Amino acid sequence: MTKIKETYICTNCGAESLQWKGQCPICKEWNCLEATTVKKVTKKTGSKLIKPSKAIALQDVSLDNHECFGCGLEALDKVLGNGFVPGSAILVGGEPGIGKSTLLLQLAGAVASGNYIINDVCINKQNPHIVLYASGEESLPQIKARAERLGVLHENLLALSTSRTQDIIDIVETQAPDLLIVDSIQTVSSDMAEGLPGNVSQVKACATELVEVCKKNNTALILVGHVTKEGDLAGPRLLEHLVDTVISLEGDRKQVFRLLRVLKNRFGPNQELLVFQMKQKGLSVVEDPSTFFLGARDSTLSGTAIVMAVDGQRPFAVEIQALVTKSYLSIPRRTGLGFDVNRLHLLLAVLEKRLRLNFGQVDIYAKVGGGMRLQEPGLDLALVAAIMSSFYDIPLPERAVFWGEVDLNGQIRPVSAHDIRFTQATKLGYSPIFCPLEEKSPFHVKTIAELQNKLFRK
């Protein structure tokens, strides 16, 4: 039996309230409670009562049929921990057209056939598994056409085009696939909630039902989630708490590379990064991204510097470019791409104050090469070096590399993962290495004045 009841649900965190309030009592956001009509299921089903669950000793829990299986990409297996865990749930988010469906269909085909994709070559390394790809966005002919283009068609790869969660649940309960992919959670609806697909109550109900049925049947679950215009996962915050792993696929659709970031992981390392390259037959892992973003760099030009950046635990070299040119405007222009432009304003103020450089009559443009976006403070030193190189029109040493945070006093402060950066820079043959004061760094610099003396005053 069901009872219809009106409640208020927070669009930010999914919290419920019996009456409307100006502020959510859980996440403290304002004007985010929306009236929603939901169906409450009673404990009685006909004349029978649902039996209560019984707790058992943790040491008596059986681990049979609970072995992990690979996802078809060794690099992604390491990022996830040990591949797919039966009964686990993974949430994959990303902008429209970034390649979420393409990547997941590649993984579905690899798991169904038991193949691993290594250097674009399929190698059989594990037993085949049953995979169900359920889509609320595409028809079956569309899914098959994309699977043929990717070369992943297999008898163990099942497909379903539906917008009802009950259709998906029925197949999971009857056929018990090893992996279920739902593309996407915002396009399916549940009979247990009111409203159109994609609203807070529907997303909450659908995700809860799918996770529950997959845990009972030891089925690994992948949910595809839409993102907002700010780049955050759409829907209630409950989604991120409900799943075991949250993955974000980022990048510019005009670029050939994609970045896969692990934002949450209960089974493996957190804040990890994978670099994919878009090719004719889908996404391919860039095995060594340490110099992938440098491209055809000309080190004889002024205004370019190399920063050894770290995302998660993966170091890679990125080019920082700067252009200082005479301004014909009453207010000189300052433009930054690939990083927070406020960082550029701050560093220019420090250079003017501490080094007595006059930027009042020049326009300054700076960007991160290769279409990358960096948010870490370690790029400060490379950005300062690139600006001074363009200002003096003197190129930096050909194999020089930089990292370090610049404070408001012009001092160079240490940043995280120094040993990882130093080891990678040494391995790639970069020299000299300009970084904060550390025992292993023979080219350390304490202030931007010392950096200026070493590079431009000889």
Side-chain angles (χ1 to χ4, degrees), residues 8 25 33 75 78 109 126 145 153 198 220 244 259 281 292 326 333 342 362 399 401 412 425 439 448:
Y8 295 88
L33 293 181
K78 295 177 182 178
Q126 64 177 0
L153 288 176
D244 302 296
L259 301 179
K281 289 192 174 182
F292 176 77
K326 184 178 178 181
R333 183 173 297 173
N342 292 323
V362 294
R399 301 292 294 173
V401 66
I412 313 301
E439 295 180 358
I448 57 174

Side-chain angles (χ1 to χ4, degrees), residues 113-231:
S113 61
N115 293 332
Y116 264 75
I117 305 172
I118 301 177
N119 295 328
D120 298 332
V121 178
C122 292
I123 300 176
N124 189 270
K125 294 186 64 175
Q126 64 177 0
N127 295 326
H129 294 80
I130 302 297
V131 180
L132 173 61
Y133 187 96
S135 176
E137 301 177 348
E138 297 177 289
S139 64
L140 291 179
Q142 288 177 309
I143 299 174
K144 181 180 179 180
R146 188 154 47 88
E148 285 182 337
R149 177 175 60 86
L150 298 174
V152 296
L153 288 176
H154 194 274
E155 60 181 5
N156 289 334
L157 178 56
L158 311 179
L160 175 67
S161 178
T162 182
S163 59
R164 296 182 65 249
T165 54
Q166 192 58 48
D167 296 339
I168 304 174
I169 292 174
D170 291 342
I171 296 179
V172 173
E173 290 179 339
T174 55
Q175 301 186 25
D178 298 296
L179 175 63
L180 168 64
I181 300 175
V182 179
D183 186 8
S184 64
I185 190 63
Q186 277 84 8
T187 60
V188 294
S189 60
S190 170
D191 297 335
M192 303 304 296
E194 296 292 335
L196 296 174
N199 67 23
V200 174
S201 58
Q202 282 288 355
V203 171
K204 182 178 178 181
C206 294
T208 304
E209 291 178 28
L210 290 171
V211 170
E212 183 178 355
V213 72
C214 286
K215 287 186 181 297
K216 290 181 180 179
N217 292 275
N218 283 336
T219 298
L221 172 65
I222 299 180
L223 298 175
V224 178
H226 296 169
V227 296
T228 62
K229 60 182 180 180
E230 291 83 12

Side-chain angles (χ1 to χ4, degrees), residues 355 357 388 392 448-457:
L355 300 184
L357 299 181
M388 289 196 294
Y392 293 121
I448 57 174
E450 184 177 346
L451 177 69
Q452 182 188 44
N453 291 333
K454 289 187 175 181
L455 292 176
F456 306 107
R457 293 182 180 176

Side-chain angles (χ1 to χ4, degrees), residues 433-449:
I433 300 174
F434 294 95
C435 57
L437 178 62
E438 294 284 349
E439 295 180 358
K440 296 182 180 180
S441 307
F443 298 101
H444 64 264
V445 285
K446 297 180 180 179
T447 63
I448 57 174

